[in-house]
Amino acid sequence: MVLISPSLLSANFAILGKEVRDITIAGADIIHFDVMDGHFVPNITFGPMVLSSIRKYTNLLFEAHLMITNPDIYWKQFSDAGADIIGFHIESQINHKHLISDIHKESKKICLVVNPGTKIALIEQFLSEIDIVLVMTVNPGFGGQKFLMQNLKKIEWLTAQKDKHNYKFLIEVDGGINYKTAALVKKAGADIIVAGSFIFKSKSYKHVINKLKCCK
């Protein structure tokens, strides 16, 4: 079964602590924070104080997906606030090797993110050094978008690289997830599925999470 990582971007912010507790009880595996600065992507969400304030509501892993211009400057704040996984984009204009080294020194897991329009081969040089590759199957910035089918080829390529080189990274997929697309990405080799509105707009978080884990 795949791991399910609900994205809090679609949660009810008025009762965020309760939402986190509820999805934990419902069987979620990871909590996904879409961190946006209004510059790297056209939206603004939340900062490290939100992670810190809801850490007490769950013992699940926190993944900070940093859709920000300077992840190399701000990642440590999210790490200190409780993030277990630090995600940053290959498209960021930073020294990726230096950032990977810095995050490793803090014993945090590293997630390298690839946007829909970016060639997956750009991350090939980092595959032996990271823990997770996150394939975006929508353009980052807003929830509720339609799944972009062409990105299945990226998941298949990553799966082939894992098999060929015995890499240990997990493949994560984010964007446009429903039962149909979850089955497609699982078949292509996904290990982790991020779902936002599909979970939080449902009547039963537990039912949706269980079905996403098991659908074929």
Side-chain angles (χ1 to χ4, degrees):
M1 277 192 258
V2 294
L3 302 177
I4 301 300
S5 182
S7 168
L8 293 188
L9 185 63
S10 299
N12 184 343
F13 278 45
I15 51 169
L16 197 54
K18 180 179 182 302
E19 292 274 66
V20 168
R21 187 189 298 118
D22 287 348
I23 58 175
T24 301
I25 293 170
D29 300 289
I30 302 168
I31 307 295
H32 192 90
F33 295 83
D34 287 305
V35 180
M36 308 179 192
D37 63 0
H39 185 260
F40 188 77
V41 293
N43 196 3
I44 298 174
T45 54
F46 32 65
M49 287 185 292
V50 174
L51 277 73
S52 179
S53 67
I54 61 175
R55 179 70 274 187
K56 63 185 177 182
Y57 290 96
T58 183
N59 60 359
L60 296 182
L61 295 176
F62 278 7
E63 179 176 14
H65 174 188
L66 304 181
M67 289 173 270
I68 61 178
T69 300
N70 301 112
D72 52 337
I73 295 175
Y74 295 105
W75 76 269
K76 186 66 164 56
Q77 295 182 33
F78 289 91
S79 174
D80 292 342
D84 304 285
I85 305 165
I86 305 295
F88 56 95
H89 281 250
I90 190 65
E91 298 86 5
S92 297
Q93 300 300 305
I94 59 171
N95 188 314
H96 291 80
K97 280 193 171 293
H98 284 180
L99 182 51
I100 287 170
S101 177
D102 288 345
I103 297 172
H104 269 152
K105 290 175 184 176
E106 290 290 316
S107 299
K108 301 291 185 175
K109 293 185 181 298
I110 296 168
C111 174
L112 193 54
V113 189
V114 182
N115 280 341
T118 300
K119 293 181 178 179
I120 191 66
L122 288 178
I123 72 166
E124 187 170 5
Q125 62 181 306
F126 304 112
L127 292 178
S128 64
E129 305 175 58
I130 60 179
D131 302 287
I132 302 170
V133 176
L134 172 52
V135 177
M136 293 300 299
T137 46
V138 299
N139 291 306
F142 297 91
Q145 298 182 61
K146 186 177 179 180
F147 185 94
L148 298 173
M149 289 289 179
Q150 63 267 30
N151 289 281
L152 287 172
K153 293 181 180 179
K154 292 181 179 179
I155 303 168
E156 293 167 352
W157 181 87
L158 289 166
T159 301
Q161 294 301 305
K162 288 180 68 173
D163 292 343
K164 181 178 180 180
H165 300 286
N166 197 31
Y167 290 140
K168 304 302 181 184
F169 65 85
L170 299 179
I171 302 171
E172 185 173 16
V173 180
D174 182 0
I177 292 296
N178 53 41
Y179 297 136
K180 178 181 178 181
T181 57
L184 290 173
V185 301
K186 286 165 69 175
K187 183 178 180 181
D191 303 293
I192 306 170
I193 292 175
V194 179
S197 57
F198 194 66
I199 293 175
F200 285 106
K201 291 184 179 180
S202 70
K203 293 181 179 179
S204 171
Y205 297 167
K206 183 175 182 178
H207 174 78
V208 173
I209 288 172
N210 287 342
K211 194 166 181 181
L212 284 172
K213 288 183 178 183
C214 299
C215 65
K216 298 180 180 180

